[in-house]
Amino acid sequence: MKGVVVDEPPPQMMSGVAVREWLQSLMVKEGGGFVGYGEEHAWTQMSGLWRLPYMDDLLLPHNIDMMHSEKKYC
């Protein structure tokens, strides 16, 4: 938004292991989704890409896995 000054520092960068642990700690609410959506986090589901063994090692594990995207769509 124009005219808004943000004084807060950026959030701390999380490793792939930390993101996985956080996702696994979220509780599913009745009807789907996770408890705390919109208040504490913006996760609506856990991607199937987290089943890949190397997701914990990626610098940006929440980004699209390009190797599998290229293999499937290109």
Side-chain angles (χ1 to χ4, degrees):
M1 295 189 308
K2 287 186 174 184
V4 176
V5 177
V6 178
D7 294 329
E8 299 173 7
Q12 186 176 11
M13 188 171 197
M14 295 175 70
S15 68
V17 174
V19 173
R20 180 188 297 271
E21 288 173 357
W22 190 34
L23 280 171
Q24 290 176 338
S25 72
L26 295 176
M27 295 187 310
V28 178
K29 63 182 178 181
E30 280 188 41
F34 294 115
V35 174
Y37 173 74
E39 299 164 10
E40 301 169 12
H41 60 82
W43 295 98
T44 58
Q45 60 187 347
M46 188 168 172
S47 169
L49 293 174
W50 285 99
R51 291 186 302 233
L52 297 172
Y54 56 85
M55 284 298 284
D56 292 342
D57 300 326
L58 296 177
L59 181 60
L60 298 172
H62 55 279
N63 283 2
I64 294 174
D65 179 7
M66 291 308 296
M67 179 183 75
H68 287 87
S69 296
E70 289 175 358
K71 181 178 177 183
K72 186 172 183 170
Y73 296 109
C74 294

